[in-house]
């Protein structure tokens, strides 16, 4: 058995419609998004090539790289500030 962790980042799917977040996430820059077929293909390719982890998209890989070197307190503060913008207050 082999397991691959797929870290898809922002992926176009019905997920954001179902949870009522479509309007909020639609404000994010287009370059952050990948379509679900592309993410699925990258995931399957990673499994077939024996990769343990795959982060899809250039922007997501850059964020993953930077986050390795940020102090935890700074990373938490950045995420907390941004996540408030996308929480559904209803």
């Amino acid at each position: 058995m082999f397991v691959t962790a797929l870290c898809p980042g922002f992926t176009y799917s019905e997920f954001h419609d179902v949870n009522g977040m479509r309007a909020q996430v639609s404000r994010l820059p287009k370059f952050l998004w990948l379509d679900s077929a592309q993410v699925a293909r990258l995931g399957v390719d990673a499994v077939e090539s024996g990769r343990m982890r795959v982060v899809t998209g250039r922007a997501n890989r850059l964020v993953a790289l930077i986050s390795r070197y940020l102090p935890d307190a700074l990373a938490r503060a950045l995420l907390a500030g941004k996540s408030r913008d996308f929480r559904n207050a209803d």
Side-chain angles (χ1 to χ4, degrees), residues 38-81:
Q38 186 177 17
V39 170
R41 179 78 264 157
L42 292 167
V44 170
D45 290 347
V47 169
E48 290 176 347
S49 66
R51 293 176 59 194
M52 291 179 54
R53 175 181 52 238
V54 61
V55 178
T56 63
R58 287 184 185 139
N60 296 326
R61 286 192 298 274
L62 179 61
V63 169
L65 177 68
I66 291 170
S67 67
R68 287 184 200 164
Y69 301 102
L70 282 179
D72 289 344
L74 178 57
R76 276 193 301 274
L78 290 171
L79 288 172

Side-chain angles (χ1 to χ4, degrees), residues 1-51:
M1 180 193 309
F2 191 83
V3 176
T4 297
L6 174 62
C7 306
F10 293 105
T11 304
Y12 287 115
S13 72
E14 72 281 353
F15 177 80
H16 297 104
D17 296 322
V18 171
N19 70 9
M21 297 292 293
R22 176 63 60 199
Q24 289 93 332
V25 299
S26 293
R27 295 182 303 185
L28 292 169
K30 300 288 184 217
F31 71 88
L32 292 176
W33 293 88
L34 295 174
D35 66 69
S36 56
Q38 186 177 17
V39 170
R41 179 78 264 157
L42 292 167
V44 170
D45 290 347
V47 169
E48 290 176 347
S49 66
R51 293 176 59 194

